[in-house]
């Protein structure tokens, strides 16, 4: 027994290609263990809107396993990879040779990554309790950062107007209202459990519980890509080590 097959408005999306009637009948009532996420929730954007290319979000790590019949071929087509492809990560700044010509008219450089903490749902599926748990863990982790990475965490809940305006002026503040994020369930309980961390120099930032659990950002004026990447790599390691220490 399955739920009624949904009308997928994004008819040319990857969701429309891979969420077929047989797949729907197989998976429509399955839910994940971490956050109780369903395939219906995963494809909400493709069902609600007619302009999606992918149209799917994972609600937690389990989603990739429980709904593998959809996610595996969709991801492989989107990224042009084979079924046996393995993700690799290399944050060795010493492998960056050269840099942007200092005379080039580069206003600023920003490099950012998304990171997730094992055991918590991803933004589309995360429960309120899990979201608050991520924020609580990150508050402790941020307090352990030292040197040029040390700074202050600003929760969106209860933020005073002077702080809010300064974050707006710095172009750091993320806001609600994105229709895709709303449809995908990422703005539930807004703004609770969300916030922004930045160091004293405003060159190292982390957004907490926006579209990603963590969005880690390194930035500065000018075109020193190597310097920006070096800070990012150090920041990712420091945040990761601090999270593990506090977990």
């Amino acid at each position: 027994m399955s739920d009624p097959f949904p009308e997928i408005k994004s008819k040319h999306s990857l969701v429309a290609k891979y969420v077929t009637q047989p797949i729907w009948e197989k998976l429509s009532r399955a839910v994940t263990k971490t956050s109780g996420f369903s395939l219906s929730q995963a494809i909400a954007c493709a069902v609600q809107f007619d302009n999606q290319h992918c149209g799917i979000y994972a609600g937690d790590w389990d989603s990739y396993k429980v709904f593998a019949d959809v996610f595996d071929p969709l991801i492989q087509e989107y990224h042009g990879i084979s079924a046996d492809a393995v993700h690799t990560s290399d944050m060795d700044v010493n492998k960056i040779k050269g840099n942007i010509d200092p005379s080039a008219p580069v206003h600023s450089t920003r490099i950012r990554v998304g990171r997730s903490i094992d055991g918590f749902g991803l933004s589309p599926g995360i429960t309120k309790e899990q979201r608050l748990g991520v924020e609580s863990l990150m508050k402790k982790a941020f307090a352990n950062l030292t040197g040029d990475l040390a700074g202050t965490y600003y929760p969106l809940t209860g933020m005073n107007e002077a702080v809010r305006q300064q974050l707006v002026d710095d172009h750091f503040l993320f806001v609600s209202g994105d229709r895709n994020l709303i449809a995908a369930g990422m703005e539930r309980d807004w703004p609770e459990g969300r916030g922004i961390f930045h160091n004293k120099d405003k060159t190292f930032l982390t957004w907490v519980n926006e579209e990603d659990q963590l969005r880690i950002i390194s930035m500065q004026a000018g075109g020193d890509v190597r310097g920006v990447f070096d800070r990012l790599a150090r920041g990712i390691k420091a945040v990761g080590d601090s999270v593990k220490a506090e977990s």
Side-chain angles (χ1 to χ4, degrees):
M1 193 72 181
S2 65
D3 292 336
F5 188 67
E7 177 190 354
I8 300 172
K9 291 184 178 178
S10 290
K11 299 187 183 303
H12 301 291
S13 65
L14 294 178
V15 162
K17 181 175 181 178
Y18 291 110
V19 181
T20 61
Q21 183 86 40
I23 292 295
W24 179 259
E25 290 175 359
K26 177 182 177 182
L27 298 176
S28 67
R29 295 198 172 180
V31 294
T32 62
K33 182 178 180 180
T34 298
S35 59
F37 200 67
S38 67
L39 182 58
S40 177
Q41 290 171 284
I43 66 171
C45 285
V47 170
Q48 188 168 335
F49 307 125
D50 63 5
N51 63 345
Q52 304 292 294
H53 174 52
C54 284
I56 193 168
Y57 287 96
D60 43 36
W61 180 88
D62 322 29
S63 297
Y64 295 106
K65 303 301 179 184
V66 174
F67 309 120
D69 289 342
V70 176
F71 274 105
D72 282 359
L74 190 153
I75 290 170
Q76 288 159 26
E77 177 170 339
Y78 181 78
H79 289 287
I81 58 175
S82 61
D84 59 355
V86 177
H87 175 72
T88 58
S89 179
D90 189 346
M91 302 299 293
D92 185 356
V93 68
N94 294 313
K95 292 183 179 178
I96 296 180
K97 307 300 180 183
N99 213 334
I100 293 177
D101 186 336
S103 65
V106 178
H107 180 69
S108 64
T109 302
R110 174 184 298 204
I111 307 174
R112 68 184 190 182
V113 299
R115 289 291 186 270
S116 301
I117 306 169
D118 194 21
F120 297 93
L122 304 176
S123 289
I126 194 170
T127 65
K128 180 178 181 179
E129 292 72 23
Q130 289 171 350
R131 190 185 301 109
L132 292 173
V134 169
E135 183 186 39
S136 176
L137 178 58
M138 291 312 302
K139 285 179 180 179
K140 298 174 184 176
F142 291 140
N144 294 331
L145 299 182
T146 60
D148 67 327
L149 301 177
T152 304
Y153 177 72
Y154 301 92
L156 266 60
T157 302
M159 181 178 289
N160 70 51
E161 178 57 26
V163 171
R164 190 198 70 81
Q165 189 58 54
Q166 185 61 57
L167 291 170
V168 169
D169 292 344
D170 290 333
H171 305 289
F172 290 171
L173 190 68
F174 57 86
V175 297
S176 64
D178 184 288
R179 69 174 197 159
N180 282 336
L181 302 191
I182 292 171
M186 295 191 217
E187 296 197 359
R188 290 166 295 126
D189 309 308
W190 183 276
E192 195 170 27
R194 299 166 172 91
I196 300 165
F197 168 88
H198 69 70
N199 66 347
K200 181 180 178 181
D201 294 332
K202 301 181 179 179
T203 56
F204 180 69
L205 297 78
T206 303
W207 291 357
V208 177
N209 286 322
E210 193 241 5
E211 187 170 353
D212 297 303
Q213 283 181 12
L214 305 176
R215 184 162 292 179
I216 304 173
I217 307 164
S218 178
M219 59 186 289
Q220 68 187 52
D224 184 7
V225 173
R226 194 180 194 282
V228 171
F229 184 82
D230 175 70
R231 186 187 307 107
L232 179 71
R234 289 188 291 109
I236 291 171
K237 185 179 187 307
V239 169
D241 289 347
S242 188
V243 167
K244 290 175 183 176
E246 293 294 341
S247 298

